[in-house]
Amino acid sequence: MRTILTIALTFASTSPAALIPGAALIPGAALIPVAAITPGIAHAAEPVPVSIDTVRVIDSPIISGEDITPYGGTWTAVGRRQIEDLNAQDLPSALRMLPGVTISRYNLLGSYGGGEGGSVYIRGQGSGRPGSEIKVYVDGVPREVAVWSHPVMDVIPTDYASSIRVYKGPQPYTYPGTFGAIDLTTLKRSRAGYETSGSLTLSEYGTAGGVIRHGGKIQAFDYYLGASHKESDGHRPHADGRIQSQYLRVGLDATGDLHLGYVLQHTDNWSRDPGPIDEPTPERDRFATETLTHNIRLDHDAGRFDGYAALYYEEGRIRWAVDNLNGPGTPAGNSNTDWTNYG
């Protein structure tokens, strides 16, 4: 959504002597290297030592960490700092700089459909539809359209993420049935006190948005809440979109090692497809999603013997208006999907 001007400077000379070091142009003669007519034996110049100051890299601007799991898998993570530095408005834009991760999208804001209109791929995996070779989780809860078994990016807001881990390759002990996984951890106040943060974004193509977050911890009780709204007119006709969400978390330290928490998330989004650039602009092609997710989770943190148990319930729906319901040349129509996930 920014215009970046790159200036490349090329230095050129019309004098042949300027093209060959150590060469001179002699009138009425061909170009002759000076060294060839100098009497004696030519000696190479002694190399001059160059001293460069030590540069210490103490932090990564791209990732917040990476490690190997106890089962031999690898993961890479981005934290709150990286998400904000990237001005990430959704999950694909938050992960776009990670090694081994590629993304696809049609619009500046919002994901159209569950395929190339807005998706994340890990080492080339994740393009299968319906279904997917990778899964997306929020606080350990799978977030996917149950009917099609693949994730939809707009229902996974990053405005309330403290970190996002990307697991590259199969992780059968932790994330079964997948060739890669993305696990988002939501914000939680762990120390006594309060914190409030927010942001307002104004950009080109009528793009604007705002986020507000507030959390606190009082003795054993903690809470966090937030709301987000973003919209854009799009960089092309029919490329507009809107994403918005609300977040609530309450928790209680049951003992020194046990924490009981409840998370409620609501999302309401839509985006439109601008279509191929060399074809007529679509008339319908609008993809809208809405979800409501409940998650009750009990965490046990005692060094090597840590883990969690969770109960979750999610209701979601997709309202997809398309110009050609069953492919090119077919009538316009609507594709409606409703699902319920629990476990």
Side-chain angles (χ1 to χ4, degrees):
M1 292 179 285
R2 295 183 302 168
T3 301
I4 301 176
L5 177 63
T6 302
I7 302 176
L9 300 178
T10 303
F11 294 94
S13 174
T14 57
S15 170
L19 304 179
I20 305 177
L25 185 62
I26 303 175
L31 185 66
I32 303 173
V34 173
I37 59 176
T38 303
I41 300 175
H43 297 278
E46 291 293 331
V48 179
V50 178
S51 178
I52 301 177
D53 294 337
T54 303
V55 178
R56 297 182 59 193
V57 179
I58 61 175
D59 201 0
S60 171
I62 300 176
I63 64 173
S64 62
E66 57 185 348
D67 205 350
I68 299 175
T69 69
Y71 307 107
T74 61
W75 59 263
T76 305
V78 295
R80 188 73 241 160
R81 173 186 168 186
Q82 284 76 29
I83 295 173
E84 292 176 352
D85 288 348
L86 289 169
N87 192 29
Q89 305 299 319
D90 51 20
L91 187 62
S93 58
L95 302 179
R96 67 183 187 270
M97 298 295 291
L98 261 65
V101 175
T102 55
I103 69 170
S104 64
R105 64 187 314 134
Y106 292 161
N107 303 341
L108 298 176
L109 190 67
S111 298
Y112 180 82
E116 65 272 10
S119 192
V120 175
Y121 310 94
I122 303 174
R123 293 177 176 172
Q125 301 288 337
S127 60
R129 294 295 184 273
S132 177
E133 301 89 359
I134 65 174
K135 302 292 184 183
V136 180
Y137 300 80
V138 177
D139 292 328
V141 172
R143 300 298 303 274
E144 63 182 19
V145 181
V147 177
W148 311 111
S149 298
H150 62 250
V152 176
M153 298 294 104
D154 283 351
V155 306
I156 310 165
T158 58
D159 300 306
Y160 324 110
S162 62
S163 68
I164 307 173
R165 284 190 179 185
V166 177
Y167 292 83
K168 303 172 183 178
Q171 313 283 330
Y173 291 95
T174 310
Y175 306 103
T178 179
F179 288 93
I182 300 169
D183 200 343
L184 184 150
T185 301
T186 56
L187 290 167
K188 170 190 171 184
R189 179 74 184 183
S190 57
R191 295 182 298 176
Y194 306 90
E195 61 186 50
T196 302
S197 63
S199 64
L200 178 64
T201 302
L202 300 174
S203 187
E204 57 186 349
Y205 304 114
T207 304
V211 182
I212 183 69
R213 294 176 289 262
H214 173 73
K217 183 173 177 63
I218 307 169
Q219 296 181 353
F221 173 75
D222 66 89
Y223 68 92
Y224 226 106
L225 49 92
S228 169
H229 179 91
K230 306 168 188 177
E231 59 184 45
S232 175
D233 293 337
H235 62 301
R236 294 172 51 198
H238 212 267
D240 49 344
R242 186 208 67 196
I243 55 178
Q244 61 182 19
S245 60
Q246 296 82 40
Y247 169 76
L248 170 67
R249 177 191 186 97
V250 292
L252 180 67
D253 293 329
T255 67
D257 299 332
L258 291 175
H259 181 272
L260 180 64
Y262 166 74
V263 173
L264 173 68
Q265 278 195 343
H266 174 255
T267 67
D268 186 4
N269 322 283
W270 62 266
S271 64
R272 297 198 297 174
D273 180 10
I277 197 169
D278 56 348
E279 294 185 9
T281 301
E283 296 180 4
R284 296 165 62 89
D285 287 5
R286 184 180 187 271
F287 187 81
T289 61
E290 185 176 6
T291 60
L292 182 65
T293 309
H294 307 265
N295 179 19
I296 300 174
R297 173 166 161 160
L298 179 65
D299 285 271
H300 180 254
D301 187 4
R304 295 180 59 185
F305 301 99
D306 60 345
Y308 70 91
L311 294 174
Y312 65 91
Y313 180 87
E314 177 183 74
E315 293 182 345
R317 67 175 189 174
I318 295 174
R319 297 296 181 262
W320 197 345
V322 292
D323 285 348
N324 305 111
L325 188 58
N326 294 309
T330 60
N334 298 296
S335 174
N336 298 333
T337 303
D338 296 86
W339 75 90
T340 300
N341 293 338
Y342 57 88

